[in-house]
């Protein structure tokens, strides 16, 4: 039976998804923006939004037993106005030494308005 972490921003309930889910040793974290209590953090700052989104995604993974070292894949979804170099720098700082597979995309827009980046991640944890 999968374990789940609910989305606290209201989007999960509206769209029927979980912030994160674990099935066996696989942990998947949904696209995570830099939000607190429904408000975008660090408006206009690609670097700090990426840092915050990574921290939130890792916290959701940790609720299901995954640590930073367990992350095997990340995805950065960037709004057109996002500074990709700043987002990449935040990612490099967070995952140095882990070096997960990564894909970075520019997308047409993100929800909610003001979000510059969303972070997705997948992790593999030991079953022991």
């Amino acid at each position: 039976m999968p374990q789940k972490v609910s989305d606290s921003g209201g989007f999960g309930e509206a769209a029927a998804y979980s912030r994160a889910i674990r099935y066996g040793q696989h942990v998947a974290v949904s696209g995570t923006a830099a939000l607190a209590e429904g408000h975008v953090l660090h408006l206009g700052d690609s670097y700090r939004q990426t840092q915050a989104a990574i921290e939130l995604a890792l916290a959701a993974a940790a609720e299901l037993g995954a640590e930073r070292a367990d992350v095997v894949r990340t995805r950065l979804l960037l709004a057109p106005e996002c500074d990709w170099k700043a987002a990449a720098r935040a990612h490099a700082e967070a995952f140095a030494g882990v070096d997960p597979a990564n894909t970075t995309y520019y997308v047409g827009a993100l929800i909610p308005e003001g979000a510059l980046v969303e972070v997705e991640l997948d992790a593999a944890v030991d079953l022991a």
Side-chain angles (χ1 to χ4, degrees):
M1 190 72 172
Q3 297 172 279
K4 299 176 183 179
V5 174
S6 297
D7 173 66
S8 61
F11 297 114
E13 185 176 309
Y17 73 86
S18 299
R19 167 66 35 225
I21 189 167
R22 178 176 176 169
Y23 195 82
Q25 70 184 85
H26 184 246
V27 174
V29 179
S30 297
T32 303
L35 296 174
E37 298 178 12
H39 300 288
V40 176
L41 303 173
H42 315 299
L43 287 173
D45 189 330
S46 300
Y47 175 77
R48 290 180 63 204
Q49 278 196 26
T50 305
Q51 283 183 314
I54 289 170
E55 288 173 11
L56 291 167
L58 286 171
E63 286 189 51
L64 299 174
E67 299 177 8
R68 183 183 77 93
D70 298 323
V71 175
V72 296
R73 181 170 184 70
T74 59
R75 292 169 202 83
L76 300 180
L77 291 82
L78 310 178
E81 59 274 17
C82 185
D83 175 355
W84 74 266
K85 290 180 182 178
R89 180 168 50 101
H91 183 278
E93 290 171 3
F95 293 106
V98 176
D99 304 331
N102 170 264
T103 304
T104 301
Y105 305 91
Y106 268 111
V107 298
L110 294 171
I111 302 168
E113 188 174 325
L116 298 173
V117 63
E118 279 192 0
V119 174
E120 295 180 1
L121 63 83
D122 296 302
V125 295
D126 288 329
L127 293 174

